[in-house]
Amino acid sequence: MRFPNTALPRLALPLALSLLASPPVFADAERLGNDLRALVAEHGELTIGDLSTSLLGGETRAEDLRFESLEGETLLIERYVVEGDYEHPDTVTLEGIRVEGIELEGAPRELEDNLLLNIGSIVVEAPGSAVPPLDDETLAEQWFEVMTLAELSLDHPEGALGSLVGLELDGDFEDGEGGLLLEALEVDLSRLIALSPEEERTQMRMVSNVLTEGSGLLRLDGGFDAQWEPSGEEEGRLISSGELVLRDALSLALDLESLLALPEGADVAELMADGTLLEEASLGGGHLVLSLVERGLFGRLMTLGATMEGVSEAEYLEKARTQAEGFGMMFGPQVSDLLHGLVDLMTGSAEELVVTLDLPAEERLESFSEDPLALPERFAMQVETR
């Protein structure tokens, strides 16, 4: 007895559907190539090694891209991948990015020569288009709201000048949340100084020694988050926190919680994306806490200040305390407490300075610019050292 071959019908339908879908699917690859060439047509020449689209769509890619600019820069990209619908991609990923012949405005020729920028990958979430728009404002809104960058390095024949392990940016506040994460930024100040004009090196070296304890390697990590909790159509609570750590120097932490009333018809996501939320909204009470932790910076500032003024460290500190008292008489005890706290960080008698501000209700931040000297009292500023 012969049994019917059921494998062919099972394969025929998907195959037929894929063949029917092929013309528009493969047209996406050609469209990507045309769009990329049009993007840079007035600035140089772009060559693309290969263009392809997955059989059933959903991914369009260009590989081995090389762009030669009219100014002499060369941009190389190993892969440019558009995932999702071409008109409205889910993500656009650039991998293996290399920029050669970089020109930095105002930089000496020694620094520019053979300068290379390498980036492992850039992933842009829901960019709104498969290629970057030409308009700068649209570019910022659509392409740099939600993105992730990994493994950046700026190299010179003398060695690496800087590197960054990762950057995550979420500027799309439609869901009420956003943030920024900066992971392991390193800048070799010693090499930058050596490549800078000779007349600038002494001052640059002085700053480098204060910031890096003489190592010449500046290392920075940071992260900030913001969350909007609506309590009505035009009211809500803004909660934000973050920390910036400059290794071997200091760390700065922020904690904000405030009730806010939005202007009539305003959209909180747009105000947060523009960075104007605190300017446009009215305060409804809350608090802001700033914490500064000494990790060596203030001790070195004391030594530098004393050296530059030609006095002993003890004399320099006594002068700083006298100035703190003087400013306190002029601007209030809160200012005196703040300056005395900074002196305590210099002497090592305190490791942390905490400033707490109670935010007043029914006030706009603009109103405080009219009388900035009264800010400590109006914000009920409290200063504590630990």
Side-chain angles (χ1 to χ4, degrees), residues 64-123:
D64 298 325
L65 292 84
R66 182 183 184 91
F67 170 66
E68 301 280 355
S69 78
L70 298 177
E71 290 76 22
E73 290 184 352
T74 300
L75 169 64
L76 305 172
I77 302 176
E78 292 182 5
R79 280 175 293 279
Y80 188 109
V81 183
V82 181
E83 296 187 32
D85 180 71
Y86 188 87
E87 292 286 347
H88 303 285
D90 297 326
T91 62
V92 172
T93 302
L94 288 75
E95 300 177 350
I97 305 165
R98 181 182 177 92
V99 185
E100 303 173 352
I102 299 174
E103 292 188 7
L104 302 176
E105 185 176 353
R109 175 57 58 185
E110 293 83 1
L111 180 58
E112 286 188 335
D113 286 347
N114 301 315
L115 199 59
L116 301 176
L117 174 66
N118 292 286
I119 303 176
S121 66
I122 297 176
V123 180

Side-chain angles (χ1 to χ4, degrees), residues 108-341:
R109 175 57 58 185
E110 293 83 1
L111 180 58
E112 286 188 335
D113 286 347
N114 301 315
L115 199 59
L116 301 176
L117 174 66
N118 292 286
I119 303 176
S121 66
I122 297 176
V123 180
V124 184
E125 301 288 340
S129 61
V131 300
L134 292 172
D135 179 72
D136 290 340
E137 184 175 348
T138 305
L139 177 67
E141 291 178 353
Q142 295 186 359
W143 266 67
F144 295 115
E145 279 197 343
V146 182
M147 64 167 290
T148 302
L149 180 150
E151 301 300 334
L152 178 149
S153 67
L154 184 62
D155 301 313
H156 188 271
E158 299 293 332
L161 299 179
S163 65
L164 176 65
V165 171
L167 169 69
E168 296 180 16
L169 172 64
D170 181 2
D172 182 4
F173 292 95
E174 291 293 339
D175 59 355
E177 297 183 357
L180 170 68
L181 177 63
L182 189 68
E183 184 180 0
L185 171 65
E186 293 192 356
V187 180
D188 193 327
L189 297 179
S190 296
R191 285 200 174 100
L192 285 175
I193 293 169
L195 295 170
S196 299
E198 187 173 353
E199 63 273 14
E200 299 178 6
R201 293 177 188 172
T202 299
Q203 187 174 2
M204 293 177 65
R205 191 172 292 112
M206 186 184 304
V207 174
S208 173
N209 289 337
V210 170
L211 292 177
T212 69
E213 200 176 9
S215 71
L217 184 62
L218 183 70
R219 299 179 295 176
L220 180 69
D221 296 278
F224 294 89
D225 296 307
Q227 182 177 356
W228 174 255
E229 297 180 351
S231 57
E233 292 185 2
E234 297 178 348
E235 295 180 341
R237 182 185 302 273
L238 175 65
I239 301 173
S240 180
S241 62
E243 184 178 28
L244 187 67
V245 178
L246 187 59
R247 300 186 204 176
D248 304 318
L250 61 85
S251 65
L252 177 66
L254 173 147
D255 181 12
L256 168 68
E257 183 173 345
S258 175
L259 296 172
L260 297 176
L262 306 179
E264 184 176 355
D267 179 74
V268 66
E270 293 181 2
L271 293 178
M272 292 181 77
D274 294 340
T276 59
L277 177 62
L278 294 178
E279 298 176 18
E280 299 292 335
S282 298
L283 297 174
H287 71 267
L288 171 64
V289 180
L290 294 173
S291 173
L292 182 62
V293 177
E294 159 69 337
R295 298 182 184 273
L297 175 66
F298 286 93
R300 295 192 292 271
L301 282 175
M302 174 185 63
T303 301
L304 177 63
T307 301
M308 294 184 67
E309 293 192 13
V311 298
S312 67
E313 292 184 1
E315 291 172 321
Y316 180 80
L317 290 172
E318 186 59 32
K319 181 179 179 180
R321 292 190 182 96
T322 301
Q323 290 176 337
E325 293 294 337
F327 279 109
M329 293 176 63
M330 295 173 58
F331 305 128
Q334 297 93 339
V335 173
S336 178
D337 291 342
L338 175 61
L339 296 178
H340 276 295

